[in-house]
């Protein structure tokens, strides 16, 4: 910066505009604003992480519908999820704050309903994010266990099968490392975010070329796009029902792009670059994810065997498929294990970005006094990092995973909040955008014009449909072992947040509060 006539230094006009806009929204600039549009996009792209989502939920897609459900279902989900992303991007452009979804709900629900709308949206958002961190890092711990199992000979060759306590210990170590990384300055976090984006693109590129070229046996195009797996062992025989449940794999693989909104107070030209981060991350993830899905499905030729817990990978379908593909070609599965390591690095970087998003959401929510002990979490250290809430996010994710010691079903119920909880939080401000605030909404630089209400309406209807699908029974007959606990878990968040509102919060919580 230079000076004019010995007076004050000339400021960066873009930084001044961002700071002025944030002050108009009611907040001081306290986080360091150092992210470009690429960095902002990278955080969301790294969290969506198609290598993570597709790989860790492939068993679900293979069991419920198989190739047709996944490859065609992905296109359906991408279309409607694009409507959700566009609507969120439009609102993000109008209100670029770290609070994101709950702040949007407060501004769009109308004065009378703003506090309640903000409260419920915020709790769905932050609990969904905690569950997202838990699901991603626990999936990584399970993947590491499978890599160790295959690397030591496989389940049928005397390989080491870790106990649930060892898996929990691995998970804990991963969480601690993610907490340490997120205690660094925003420049380091930006680097990890960009590495995550690069690794997902490069990883997809390598695996899409390598896996089909190595395979001696490949599925036909007809099998990949039309084969329906109805032999799921879950007592479900209706093709329509199976297809509906199978869509959930694609839906889970797309969550996390609200991160771009939560990083806007650290992003330059936030009212444009924040929305672009949302749109680009969803668009590119949809394309790369589908290509990656096709490559994986091309080596799926024996579905019952891949899902069989008696195979070398213990029933981890993708691990078994990759291991067998390389073993048939070279007499060793080392190449398949190397592919799994590439995926594991992507999952690790995804978990890093999850904690980043958690901490920014927690920082904003506590800034508005909505969390217990908000004065503790609403603090930044000398590096301008919300250090305390970083470790809160790590701690809550650890507690969530303790349920895995008692029951895998209980843990799955907990992490199901990750997908459904986040999408409900996505849909609430969009709902208010297209109903109560449709006339008063003032768009930012990125807007959908006359199509805004129509696109938003489609987005809300899609999330409503997905909510129903997530709550359907996934096995018959329904017993305590096969019960889908998703409605119980998500309903619990709704009931607890409403109970807290009625008994306590309604007397003091007024939604986002200004600090300027």
């Amino acid at each position: 910066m230079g000076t004019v006539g010995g007076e004050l230094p000339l400021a960066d006009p873009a930084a001044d505009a961002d700071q002025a806009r944030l002050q108009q929204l009611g907040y001081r600039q306290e986080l360091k604003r150092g992210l470009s549009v690429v960095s902002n996009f990278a955080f969301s792209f790294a969290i969506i992480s198609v290598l993570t989502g597709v790989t860790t939920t492939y068993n679900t897609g293979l069991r419920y519908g198989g190739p047709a459900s996944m490859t065609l279902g992905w296109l359906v989900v991408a279309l409607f999820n694009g409507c959700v992303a566009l609507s969120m991007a439009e609102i993000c452009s109008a209100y670029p704050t770290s609070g994101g979804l709950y702040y949007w709900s407060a501004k769009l629900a109308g004065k009378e309903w703003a506090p309640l709308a903000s409260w419920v949206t915020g709790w769905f958002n932050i609990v969904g994010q905690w569950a997202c961190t838990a699901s991603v890092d626990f999936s990584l711990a399970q993947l590491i266990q499978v890599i160790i199992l295959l690397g030591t000979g496989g389940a049928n060759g005397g390989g080491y099968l870790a106990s649930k306590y060892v898996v929990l210990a691995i998970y804990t170590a991963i969480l601690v490392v993610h907490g340490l990384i997120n205690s660094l300055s925003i420049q380091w976090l930006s680097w990890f975010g960009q590495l995550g984006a690069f690794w997902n693109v490069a990883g997809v590129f390598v695996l899409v070329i390598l896996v089909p070229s190595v395979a001696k046996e490949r599925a036909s195009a007809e099998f990949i796009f039309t084969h329906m797996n109805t032999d799921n062992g879950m007592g479900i025989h209706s093709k329509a029902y199976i297809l509906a449940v199978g869509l959930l794999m694609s839906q889970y693989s797309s969550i996390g792009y609200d991160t771009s909104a939560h990083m806007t107070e650290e992003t330059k030209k936030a009212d444009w670059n924040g929305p672009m981060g949302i749109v680009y991350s969803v668009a590119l993830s949809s394309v790369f994810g589908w290509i990656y899905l096709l490559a994986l499905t091309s080596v799926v030729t024996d579905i019952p065997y891949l899902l069989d817990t008696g195979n070398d990978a213990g029933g981890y379908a993708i691990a078994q498929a990759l291991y067998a593909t390389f073993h048939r070609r070279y007499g060793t599965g080392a190449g398949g294990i190397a592919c799994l390591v590439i995926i594991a690095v992507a999952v690790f970087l995804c978990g890093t970005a999850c904690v980043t998003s958690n901490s920014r959401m927690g920082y904003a929510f506590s800034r508005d006094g909505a969390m217990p002990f908000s004065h503790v979490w609403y603090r930044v250290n000398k590096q301008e990092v919300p250090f305390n809430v970083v470790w809160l996010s790590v701690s809550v994710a650890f507690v969530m995973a303790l349920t895995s010691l008692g029951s895998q079903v209980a843990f799955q119920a907990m992490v199901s909040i990750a997908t459904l909880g986040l999408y409900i939080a996505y849909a609430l401000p969009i709902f208010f955008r297209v109903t109560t605030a449709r006339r008063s909404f003032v768009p930012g630089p990125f807007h959908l014009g006359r199509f805004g209400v129509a696109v938003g309406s489609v987005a809300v209807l899609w999330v409503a449909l997905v909510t129903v699908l997530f709550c359907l029974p996934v096995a018959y007959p329904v017993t305590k072992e096969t019960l889908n606990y998703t409605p119980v878990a998500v309903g619990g968040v709704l009931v607890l947040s409403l109970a807290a509102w009625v008994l306590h919060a309604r007397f003091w919580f007024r939604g986002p509060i200004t600090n300027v």
Side-chain angles (χ1 to χ4, degrees):
M1 290 187 298
T3 60
V4 179
E7 298 177 356
L8 293 174
L10 290 173
D12 180 357
D16 281 351
D18 285 321
Q19 183 171 324
R21 180 58 182 142
L22 187 60
Q23 287 183 340
Q24 288 174 354
L25 297 174
Y27 299 114
R28 291 191 301 267
Q29 182 69 53
E30 296 175 310
L31 300 174
K32 188 168 184 178
R33 199 176 286 273
L35 299 180
S36 65
V37 63
V38 174
S39 299
N40 183 286
F41 149 80
F43 277 112
S44 282
F45 191 73
I47 282 189
I48 296 174
S49 182
V50 292
L51 288 176
T52 299
V54 172
T55 305
T56 58
T57 59
Y58 197 86
N59 270 42
T60 300
L62 203 56
R63 179 171 282 112
Y64 295 100
S69 174
M70 293 187 290
T71 55
L72 299 181
W74 184 275
L75 298 179
V76 173
V77 169
L79 174 64
F80 290 105
N81 198 44
C83 292
V84 178
L86 285 170
S87 294
M88 285 177 59
E90 182 181 50
I91 302 173
C92 178
S93 183
Y95 308 111
T97 75
S98 292
L101 308 171
Y102 84 88
Y103 184 94
W104 304 346
S105 287
K107 291 297 182 182
L108 297 173
K111 187 175 181 180
E112 181 180 357
W113 293 100
L116 176 59
S118 179
W119 177 264
V120 173
T121 303
W123 279 108
F124 265 112
N125 194 186
I126 197 164
V127 173
Q129 286 192 342
W130 285 334
C132 187
T133 296
S135 64
V136 169
D137 280 8
F138 198 81
S139 295
L140 176 56
Q142 292 176 317
L143 180 56
I144 290 173
Q145 181 263 320
V146 171
I147 291 173
I148 294 172
L149 174 63
L150 292 174
T152 53
N156 298 314
Y160 174 71
L161 180 61
S163 69
K164 59 185 179 182
Y165 297 100
V166 173
V167 172
L168 184 65
I170 296 172
Y171 169 77
T172 304
I174 294 167
L175 277 177
V176 170
V177 174
H178 281 156
L180 292 172
I181 291 174
N182 276 276
S183 299
L184 302 174
S185 67
I186 189 61
Q187 287 85 354
W188 280 102
L189 290 180
S190 176
W191 183 84
F192 275 101
Q194 292 182 45
L195 176 61
F198 167 78
W199 194 272
N200 271 276
V201 172
V204 168
F205 182 77
V206 169
L207 294 176
V208 163
I209 294 176
L210 183 62
V211 173
S213 63
V214 169
K216 279 189 171 182
E217 300 177 11
R218 287 192 294 271
S220 66
E222 181 182 4
F223 179 87
I224 292 173
F225 292 107
T226 64
H227 180 74
M228 269 284 294
N229 177 37
T230 56
D231 183 21
N232 49 54
M234 296 296 172
I236 301 175
H237 306 292
S238 167
K239 289 186 177 181
Y241 196 115
I242 292 171
L243 282 172
V245 176
L247 287 176
L248 302 181
M249 184 218 77
S250 301
Q251 196 72 29
Y252 174 82
S253 300
S254 304
I255 61 173
Y257 46 88
D258 58 309
T259 303
S260 287
H262 296 306
M263 302 303 293
T264 49
E265 288 185 33
E266 295 161 270
T267 301
K268 301 172 184 176
K269 298 182 181 179
D271 54 2
W272 179 260
N273 290 342
M276 288 298 98
I278 294 174
V279 173
Y280 290 151
S281 62
V282 171
L284 291 178
S285 293
S286 297
V287 173
F288 282 100
W290 192 63
I291 294 172
Y292 176 56
L293 189 57
L294 293 180
L296 291 183
T297 309
S298 71
V299 298
V300 171
T301 55
D302 189 347
I303 295 176
Y305 176 67
L306 293 180
L307 294 173
D308 186 359
T309 55
N311 62 34
D312 281 320
Y316 201 116
I318 284 304
Q320 180 61 42
L322 293 174
Y323 185 80
T325 295
F326 280 85
H327 197 280
R328 291 192 193 101
R329 172 72 68 176
Y330 301 111
T332 174
I337 296 174
C339 291
L340 293 176
V341 171
I342 292 174
I343 295 168
V345 173
V347 181
F348 177 83
L349 294 169
C350 174
T352 302
C354 282
V355 176
T356 305
S357 184
N358 284 183
S359 61
R360 272 50 182 184
M361 170 60 195
Y363 162 82
F365 211 31
S366 58
R367 177 174 61 186
D368 292 319
M371 294 176 63
F373 308 106
S374 285
H375 65 282
V376 176
W377 315 126
Y378 172 47
R379 290 180 183 174
V380 294
N381 61 14
K382 293 180 179 179
Q383 284 74 43
E384 299 176 88
V385 172
F387 180 86
N388 291 352
V389 80
V390 165
W391 289 97
L392 172 67
S393 302
V394 168
S395 301
V396 173
F398 172 76
V399 172
M400 283 184 165
L402 291 178
T403 57
S404 67
L405 295 177
S407 168
Q408 189 63 28
V409 173
F411 178 72
Q412 289 301 325
M414 188 64 70
V415 300
S416 66
I417 305 172
T419 306
L420 195 51
L422 283 177
Y423 271 103
I424 290 173
Y426 293 175
L428 285 172
I430 299 174
F431 172 77
F432 297 126
R433 154 75 176 96
V434 301
T435 54
T436 59
R438 59 185 298 176
R439 292 188 179 90
S440 59
F441 176 70
V442 179
F446 178 89
H447 60 89
L448 303 177
R450 59 179 179 172
F451 298 106
V453 172
V455 172
S457 299
V458 172
V460 171
L461 291 173
W462 173 250
V463 174
L465 174 62
V466 169
T467 301
V468 173
L469 298 184
F470 254 96
C471 294
L472 293 174
V474 293
Y476 286 95
V478 178
T479 66
K480 64 179 182 180
E481 286 79 22
T482 61
L483 177 66
N484 182 0
Y485 286 90
T486 300
V488 177
V490 176
V493 176
L494 178 61
V495 169
L496 289 174
S497 63
L498 289 177
W501 172 261
V502 171
L503 298 176
H504 182 55
R506 68 189 176 98
F507 298 110
W508 55 268
F509 184 72
R510 294 293 176 264
I513 56 178
T514 60
N515 64 9
V516 294

